[in-house]
Amino acid sequence: MADLRRPVLFLFSPDTPGSFAHVAVINGTARGYVQVPGHTTFHIEPATMYFKNPSFHTVIYPETRMNLDPYRHRRNADMGMCGNDAAAEWMRWHARSAIDPQPDNRARRYRRETEKDSDKSHNKYSAESNGSPRQRRSNLGEKNTCYLYLRADPILWEHIKHNKYNTILSNERTQEEILAFFASHVSAVKNIYSKTDFRTYDNSVRYMGVDFLVLRTSIMTMENQDCNGKNPTRYCNRNIDVTNFLNLNSMDQH
């Protein structure tokens, strides 16, 4: 979270070289971000995300004031191990007292034999040892666009509708917020990949100017997935991780 107690002077000129901005306006308020090269990224969010009935409509804060540590919510390991401190100390003591045994004669003989063979086989995977060279692959050319199908699960719907702001949003407003969320992430990815030069070590394959285009979106709700009914879908599972979410999507008829 950012420290919102201190005011931030926000001055931005669209003529700043290399700058980039993505802003969505919903219900009269803006949300998005502005990247200023050599400085930082400024995040723009509705004030209702942080305050109840605020007298102002927008909060702008720099990324330099955010705690970006991904492990900040995890318990400190020095605080204990849930009653297993004695067992942990016992394991550390045995690890420190371990003695590396000397290899027996058979192990030494095996090592000598493998050292002899290594002189013959160390280059068996080289180009000289494998016939004709590989065919060079062509670049992306004009086919540089990745087409996306984005889906929102019912847990995201519930979070934005009930928890993201200090009020319960309408279904229409919730849908607009999710679509703006999609657009913001796709915009950030496009900004990164369009400037990245992907190439192999030998430069035989090179990808530049990769773009992304959203062709289709779908938004799952608590209602259309029957999360509170008798036949909830597996997408209603609140503990589903990314891997299982992708697996479920792969089994759907798209």
Side-chain angles (χ1 to χ4, degrees):
M1 292 291 294
D3 184 2
L4 301 178
R5 295 170 296 180
R6 297 164 55 191
V8 177
L9 179 61
F10 180 74
L11 298 175
F12 169 70
S13 171
D15 297 328
T16 303
S19 60
F20 179 81
H22 176 84
V23 179
V25 179
I26 300 176
N27 198 34
T29 58
R31 68 269 290 132
Y33 59 91
V34 176
Q35 293 179 349
V36 183
H39 188 46
T40 186
T41 298
F42 291 91
H43 295 268
I44 307 169
E45 294 177 343
T48 51
M49 287 184 59
Y50 304 100
F51 306 97
K52 190 173 183 178
N53 300 322
S55 58
F56 47 93
H57 55 78
T58 306
V59 171
I60 302 175
Y61 56 90
E63 199 166 89
T64 52
R65 296 213 183 150
M66 296 174 62
N67 184 359
L68 300 177
D69 180 11
Y71 304 106
R72 62 186 181 276
H73 298 304
R74 292 192 176 184
R75 181 183 303 167
N76 190 338
D78 295 334
M79 295 176 61
M81 300 179 61
C82 301
N84 294 325
D85 297 311
E89 180 59 29
W90 179 84
M91 294 174 65
R92 284 193 292 266
W93 182 84
H94 279 276
R96 290 192 297 266
S97 61
I99 300 176
D100 186 17
Q102 294 295 325
D104 57 15
N105 293 334
R106 183 168 54 182
R108 287 197 295 268
R109 184 169 63 253
Y110 174 78
R111 185 169 62 247
R112 287 196 301 268
E113 293 175 354
T114 53
E115 288 175 353
K116 293 179 182 178
D117 294 337
S118 65
D119 294 335
K120 302 177 183 178
S121 60
H122 75 280
N123 63 343
K124 65 180 179 179
Y125 296 110
S126 62
E128 293 79 5
S129 302
N130 286 274
S132 59
R134 296 176 58 187
Q135 183 70 25
R136 294 171 64 90
R137 295 175 58 188
S138 60
N139 295 334
L140 286 176
E142 297 180 354
K143 299 179 180 180
N144 64 338
T145 301
C146 299
Y147 298 98
L148 305 178
Y149 170 35
L150 303 181
R151 306 184 77 185
D153 66 347
I155 309 304
L156 177 62
W157 170 274
E158 184 183 39
H159 168 71
I160 292 181
K161 182 177 178 65
H162 294 277
N163 302 322
K164 187 174 183 179
Y165 299 97
N166 287 296
T167 184
I168 299 178
L169 305 182
S170 65
N171 289 345
E172 182 180 2
R173 170 75 183 279
T174 304
Q175 181 176 354
E176 292 176 346
E177 292 285 347
I178 292 177
L179 293 178
F181 176 78
F182 284 167
S184 176
H185 281 68
V186 173
S187 175
V189 171
K190 290 174 63 175
N191 189 38
I192 295 173
Y193 277 71
S194 63
K195 302 176 182 178
T196 304
D197 185 1
F198 298 93
R199 64 176 67 190
T200 56
Y201 290 110
D202 60 355
N203 291 325
S204 61
V205 180
R206 185 180 183 185
Y207 299 149
M208 295 185 63
V210 178
D211 195 13
F212 295 86
L213 179 64
V214 179
L215 285 185
R216 182 185 173 193
T217 62
S218 65
I219 299 176
M220 306 179 200
T221 68
M222 304 296 286
E223 289 74 23
N224 63 31
Q225 299 300 307
D226 198 25
C227 292
N228 298 319
K230 296 181 179 180
N231 298 303
T233 67
R234 287 176 290 182
Y235 292 106
C236 298
N237 184 359
R238 296 183 178 275
N239 298 318
I240 189 172
D241 57 11
V242 175
T243 301
N244 286 313
F245 182 78
L246 294 176
N247 288 338
L248 289 177
N249 277 274
S250 67
M251 293 184 288
D252 286 347
Q253 294 291 336
H254 298 298

